[in-house]
């Protein structure tokens, strides 16, 4: 399910009052909520018009009855800057690629970028409405965050000859799915003789010039890989500088946690071949 921009507020082409104003607002921000939010580590991007409203929004989202984790905060009109922030926060967890905005406007540029990056923007003037829309969004994605957070299915890709269109972040290339499958949001590593490079996560997949969410065994597709943090950006740069056609394998970056999640929640979906690929990836990625 595509993540469209959904809002009940009026869109505005006007930008916020500027970086200086935002920095000034954050200087007066209550320290307690700032500390709490920094501890979260992952979650949605919470945006409001004032520091008071933002405090109210975060307290509501992180209340025991709502329990929506907040990964970052922002003030004022939603611009492309906020969309990129939400996109980078999400990593491969699609339900966290979301902006929950309380009583603010969204610029046309931000709307366009959100559609391109599949970032969900939910705006409204009532806190309960934001919560309800977020729950609907999760249902549309077909995800249960508690179950899907770490579940990464195995996938191995072969980079197609003469199909590396961009070697640096964002990386765009043609691949053949040789084992398992891949889907939008999956973290990807590049396997080479010198060791693996963590490149980022799949931002989109194109098959026969049409966007798709999943590419299965035997599919030939074009994928876009976007770095989620400075370390992945550095490793993507290394990929671009040292890409060698003799090292042409990409793999889904599983973790020990994702193996446990698959075992506990998706065991019935794993074939014998999937289990073998998981074992191979565990060795390649040096998972103890």
């Amino acid at each position: 399910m595509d993540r469209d921009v959904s809002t009940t507020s009026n869109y505005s082409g006007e930008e916020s009052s500027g970086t200086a104003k935002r920095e000034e607002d954050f200087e007066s921000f209550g320290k307690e909520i700032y500390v709490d939010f920094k501890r979260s580590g992952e979650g949605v991007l919470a945006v409001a018009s004032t520091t008071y409203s933002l405090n109210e929004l975060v307290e509501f989202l992180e209340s025991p009855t709502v329990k929506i984790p907040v990964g970052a905060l922002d003030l004022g009109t939603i611009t492309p800057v906020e969309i990129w922030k939400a996109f980078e926060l999400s990593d491969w967890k699609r339900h966290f690629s979301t902006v929950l905005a309380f009583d603010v406007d969204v610029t046309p540029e931000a709307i366009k970028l959100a559609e391109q990056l599949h970032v969900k923007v939910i705006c409204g003037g009532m806190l309960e409405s934001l919560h309800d829309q977020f729950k609907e969004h999760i249902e549309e994605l077909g995800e249960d965050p508690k179950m899907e957070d770490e579940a990464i299915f195995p996938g191995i890709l072969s980079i197609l000859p003469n199909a590396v269109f961009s070697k640096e972040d964002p990386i765009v290339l043609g691949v053949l799915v040789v084992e398992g499958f891949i889907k939008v949001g999956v973290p990807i590593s590049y396997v080479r003789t010198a060791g693996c490079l963590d490149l980022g996560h799949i931002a989109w997949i194109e098959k026969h010039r049409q966007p798709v969410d999943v590419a299965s065994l035997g599919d030939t597709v074009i994928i876009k890989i976007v770095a989620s943090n400075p370390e992945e950006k550095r490793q993507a740069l290394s990929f671009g500088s040292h890409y060698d056609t003799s090292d042409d394998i990409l793999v889904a970056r599983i973790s020990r946690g994702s193996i446990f999640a698959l075992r506990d929640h998706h065991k019935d979906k794993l074939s014998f071949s999937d289990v073998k690929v998981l074992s191979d990836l565990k060795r390649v990625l040096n998972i103890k």
Side-chain angles (χ1 to χ4, degrees):
M1 181 69 67
D2 291 338
R3 286 179 282 177
D4 302 326
V5 177
S6 173
T7 178
T8 56
S9 65
N10 294 326
Y11 297 145
S12 170
E14 297 180 0
E15 297 292 340
S16 61
S17 56
T19 303
K21 177 63 168 62
R22 289 193 180 191
E23 290 178 353
E24 191 176 300
D25 285 337
F26 271 105
E27 285 180 359
S28 62
F29 201 116
K31 291 185 179 179
E32 290 184 7
I33 190 172
Y34 184 78
V35 171
D36 289 343
F37 128 75
K38 290 296 284 185
R39 288 174 182 166
S40 176
E42 62 182 20
V44 301
L45 173 63
V47 184
S49 56
T50 66
T51 54
Y52 178 83
S53 297
L54 189 56
N55 183 76
E56 186 179 4
L57 173 61
V58 175
E59 285 186 350
F60 172 77
L61 295 177
E62 296 191 334
S63 64
T65 56
V66 178
K67 293 183 179 179
I68 298 176
V70 177
L73 312 175
D74 217 317
L75 287 170
T77 300
I78 297 172
T79 71
V81 172
E82 285 69 44
I83 301 302
W84 275 112
K85 183 182 290 186
F87 179 70
E88 292 173 353
L89 276 172
S90 70
D91 195 3
W92 59 275
K93 302 174 184 179
R94 296 195 301 164
H95 53 281
F96 285 155
S97 186
T98 302
V99 180
L100 289 181
F102 182 46
D103 199 25
V104 297
D105 293 326
V106 188
T107 68
E109 295 81 8
I111 296 169
K112 182 177 180 180
L113 182 61
E115 291 173 346
Q116 294 172 347
L117 298 180
H118 300 291
V119 171
K120 180 73 172 182
V121 180
I122 301 174
C123 296
M126 297 182 63
L127 296 177
E128 287 292 347
S129 174
L130 293 178
H131 182 210
D132 292 342
Q133 290 183 68
F134 183 75
K135 287 195 298 184
E136 291 174 4
H137 172 52
I138 295 299
E139 291 173 0
E140 289 175 357
L141 289 177
E143 292 185 348
D144 179 346
K146 294 180 181 178
M147 291 177 57
E148 300 289 348
D149 272 2
E150 295 190 271
I152 304 173
F153 284 82
I156 299 178
L157 313 174
S158 176
I159 302 174
L160 298 175
N162 304 315
V164 180
F165 307 110
S166 174
K167 293 183 179 181
E168 298 179 9
D169 182 48
I171 296 168
V172 180
L173 37 72
V175 298
L176 169 67
V177 182
V178 296
E179 294 285 357
F181 68 93
I182 56 169
K183 63 180 182 178
V184 172
V186 167
I188 292 292
S189 292
Y190 173 54
V191 180
R192 58 178 187 168
T193 53
C196 294
L197 295 177
D198 296 336
L199 303 180
H201 65 276
I202 297 176
W204 53 251
I205 304 171
E206 184 179 281
K207 180 180 178 182
H208 303 316
R209 298 187 178 182
Q210 295 293 324
V212 295
D213 290 330
V214 177
S216 303
L217 179 65
D219 283 347
T220 298
V221 296
I222 297 175
I223 62 173
K224 179 179 180 180
I225 303 171
V226 178
S228 305
N229 55 59
E231 178 60 19
E232 288 182 347
K233 289 180 183 293
R234 184 187 69 79
Q235 297 198 37
L237 184 62
S238 179
F239 169 84
S241 302
H242 302 100
Y243 173 69
D244 185 344
T245 53
S246 64
D247 293 322
D248 61 353
I249 297 298
L250 299 174
V251 300
R253 191 169 74 243
I254 64 171
S255 65
R256 188 166 185 79
S258 68
I259 294 174
F260 288 153
L262 288 172
R263 181 197 65 188
D264 295 341
H265 304 296
H266 303 280
K267 190 175 181 178
D268 59 329
K269 300 177 184 177
L270 295 174
S271 66
F272 178 80
S273 176
D274 290 332
V275 174
K276 184 180 182 303
V277 175
L278 275 174
S279 178
D280 292 339
L281 291 182
K282 185 177 177 181
R283 175 178 49 81
V284 169
L285 296 171
N286 195 29
I287 298 171
K288 303 299 182 181

